[in-house]
Amino acid sequence: IVNAILLIVSGVLFTFWGYRSFKGVLFIIGFFILAYTAFIVLNSLEQQNPTIYGSNRVVIYIAVPVVAGLIGGFILKALFKVGVFITGAYLGFLLSNIVLGFIQDASPNARLGTQIGLALVGGLVALWMEKPILIVATSVIGAFDIAVGVDYWVQSGFTDVFGVLKSTGHLPALSQNTYIMLGGFVIVALLGMAVQF
């Protein structure tokens, strides 16, 4: 539930204010990445040794992710051009998965090459054409995050499509609910672009 809420909130921020507040968005991305990573590490350590944190468990589970998140936020904000590249690369990666959904007989190496190639192209183009690519990328990525977050509750199959596509390399049959969610994703992405341009 927390992940779904975070996806929706960060998705709205990305979709409609991604370019205008990109440094702030980068801070939030860096915060979430390192805070969540710290939480996973803490959880993993606790599963190996359930008494590792003793009576300080709650404090550790709050303080460590917050400190790690702040460090991650400041690092990513300071590395602005890296953030621009990563955002463009993520857009390229998303587009590669859409393209690969229509190519039924691609070998695993061809799939990986396509994903890496389009991610690199997306990152490089974002560095070259920063404003328009960042607007498109933040709108699409944000709309995707919103759709994944909403799909947690509505269970349309939207999220499952990408899991099946990733594991089998084939686009599965889509239900009416999945088409509705896909349409919503596209509409929200286009609205985000319209607001940001």
Side-chain angles (χ1 to χ4, degrees), residues 155-158 161 172-180:
Q155 300 290 308
S156 72
F158 178 83
V161 167
L174 303 179
S175 70
Q176 181 180 3
N177 290 339
T178 306
Y179 277 114
I180 291 169

Side-chain angles (χ1 to χ4, degrees), residues 81-106:
K81 288 295 184 184
V82 173
V84 170
F85 180 85
I86 289 171
T87 304
Y90 187 49
L91 176 64
F93 177 76
L94 285 177
L95 292 176
S96 74
N97 285 315
I98 293 169
V99 168
L100 289 169
F102 296 101
I103 301 172
Q104 299 298 320
D105 298 323

Side-chain angles (χ1 to χ4, degrees), residues 48-180:
Q48 293 173 7
N49 181 359
T51 60
I52 191 169
Y53 306 127
S55 63
N56 297 321
R57 182 180 184 274
V58 173
V59 173
I60 290 170
Y61 264 95
I62 292 172
V64 172
V66 167
V67 170
L70 289 171
I71 292 168
F74 285 119
I75 288 172
L76 200 53
K77 186 177 175 185
L79 301 173
F80 181 78
K81 288 295 184 184
V82 173
V84 170
F85 180 85
I86 289 171
T87 304
Y90 187 49
L91 176 64
F93 177 76
L94 285 177
L95 292 176
S96 74
N97 285 315
I98 293 169
V99 168
L100 289 169
F102 296 101
I103 301 172
Q104 299 298 320
D105 298 323
S107 70
N109 288 338
R111 297 182 65 70
L112 182 62
T114 302
Q115 290 170 328
I116 291 171
L118 284 177
L120 288 173
V121 167
L124 293 172
V125 171
L127 290 173
W128 177 51
M129 300 176 60
E130 188 175 295
K131 183 178 180 178
I133 296 299
L134 282 181
I135 288 173
V136 171
T138 57
S139 297
V140 170
I141 292 166
F144 181 78
D145 289 349
I146 293 169
V148 171
V150 168
D151 196 49
Y152 175 81
W153 282 290
V154 300
Q155 300 290 308
S156 72
F158 178 83
T159 307
D160 299 334
V161 167
F162 296 97
V164 170
L165 183 59
K166 183 179 177 186
S167 64
T168 67
H170 300 289
L171 191 63
L174 303 179
S175 70
Q176 181 180 3
N177 290 339
T178 306
Y179 277 114
I180 291 169

Side-chain angles (χ1 to χ4, degrees), residues 12-13 27 31 59 106 109 148:
V12 168
L13 176 64
F27 181 86
F31 183 91
V59 173
N109 288 338
V148 171

